[in-house]
Amino acid sequence: MKRLVVGITGASGVIYGVRLLDVLNQLNAYEIHLSISNSGVRALWEELEIRVDLDNFKVQSLLGYSSERIVYHHQSDIAASIASGSFRTDGMIVAPCSMGTVGSIAAGISRNLIHRAADVCIKERRKLVLVPRETPFSSIHLENMLKLSQLGVCILPAMPGFYHFPKTVDDQINFVITKLLDQFGIDTGLTKRWKENG
C-alpha cells in the first residue's frame, strides 16, 4: 500500500485538510500518516467546531468515523517514523499551511514533526505540496515560497477556479482537493475539468 503524509497547521482553511483525509481514506489505496500542529487544533475548533485532543487523538473525532488507514503522529514526536528518510513515502501535503510553517520549512528549522517530515521530503527529493492560505502575501512570504519552489516544492495556494461552474462551497473545496491530488497522479472525479465533456 502507498503512503502519504498529511499535515494540518494553524492557517485558515482547515476544511481542506479534513476533506483531503476523507477523500484519501475513501480511495482505500493509501496508508495516511497524519500530524496536526497545536495551532491546527485551534483552527479546527474555530472554523469547524471540531475538537481534537492531540495527546489522546481519535480519528473519529476529526472525521466522524474510525479508520485503520490513518496513522496519527503527535506533533512533538520527533522520533516518529515520518521523521526519518529511511521510512519511505510517496510524499507529503500540508493543508492548510501557515506562513509560520512555510518560514520554518524554508529555513530548515524543525520546530515540530510537520516541519521535520517536510524537511525529510526535501532532502529525499520526494514530492512536497504546501497549501498556503493567506492573503495578501508579504514579501517575506513570497520570498520563502520562492525559495521552496526553487527546491522543487509545489506551492499550491487554496485558490479555487470558476471554469467548472461551482454551485456550492463544497464544489470549491473539491476543486482544490483535485488540484492537490493531481500532484500525485490521483484522479478522484471530484470536479469537472477544463472543457471536459465539451
Side-chain angles (χ1 to χ4, degrees):
M1 184 173 285
K2 294 182 176 182
R3 294 177 179 144
L4 276 178
V5 181
V6 174
I8 296 177
T9 69
S12 182
V14 287
I15 184 62
Y16 293 111
V18 174
R19 181 66 55 81
L20 175 66
L21 289 171
D22 184 45
V23 170
L24 282 172
N25 186 65
Q26 290 180 39
L27 291 174
N28 200 24
Y30 290 87
E31 181 179 271
I32 307 151
H33 289 260
L34 169 67
S35 190
I36 305 171
S37 72
N38 288 329
S39 296
V41 170
R42 175 71 181 268
L44 283 164
W45 174 248
E46 294 288 346
E47 295 187 356
L48 301 176
E49 295 187 338
I50 292 175
R51 195 177 299 280
V52 297
D53 180 352
L54 294 188
D55 296 321
N56 188 30
F57 182 80
K58 306 290 184 196
V59 172
Q60 186 165 356
S61 65
L62 184 62
L63 297 180
Y65 58 84
S66 297
S67 174
E68 295 181 358
R69 286 185 293 281
I70 299 176
V71 180
Y72 169 74
H73 303 279
H74 194 283
Q75 61 99 29
S76 67
D77 185 7
I78 214 67
S81 57
I82 58 174
S84 173
S86 64
F87 184 76
R88 299 183 67 180
T89 71
D90 292 287
M92 179 176 184
I93 300 171
V94 183
C97 187
S98 68
M99 288 301 110
T101 298
V102 168
S104 292
I105 296 170
I109 299 171
S110 297
R111 296 187 299 165
N112 63 32
L113 181 58
I114 294 172
H115 303 159
R116 173 56 188 169
D119 189 58
V120 165
C121 284
I122 292 171
K123 79 183 184 69
E124 299 292 336
R125 304 296 195 266
R126 294 174 187 159
K127 175 70 77 174
L128 174 60
V129 182
L130 305 183
V131 186
R133 221 306 309 154
E134 184 65 87
T135 189
F137 292 126
S138 74
S139 295
I140 295 170
H141 301 155
L142 293 167
E143 287 173 0
N144 284 335
M145 289 188 286
L146 175 61
K147 180 178 181 180
L148 289 168
S149 179
Q150 290 171 335
L151 292 171
V153 176
C154 176
I155 306 298
L156 201 156
M159 296 179 177
F162 291 87
Y163 55 78
H164 61 299
F165 299 102
K167 301 293 189 298
T168 65
V169 172
D170 273 355
D171 290 342
Q172 294 297 63
I173 293 166
N174 288 338
F175 180 92
V176 174
I177 299 304
T178 296
K179 289 289 188 179
L180 279 175
L181 295 180
D182 277 354
Q183 291 297 311
F184 294 89
I186 303 168
D187 189 1
T188 63
L190 283 174
T191 192
K192 184 178 178 181
R193 295 181 180 274
W194 174 244
K195 295 196 173 180
E196 194 174 63
N197 299 325

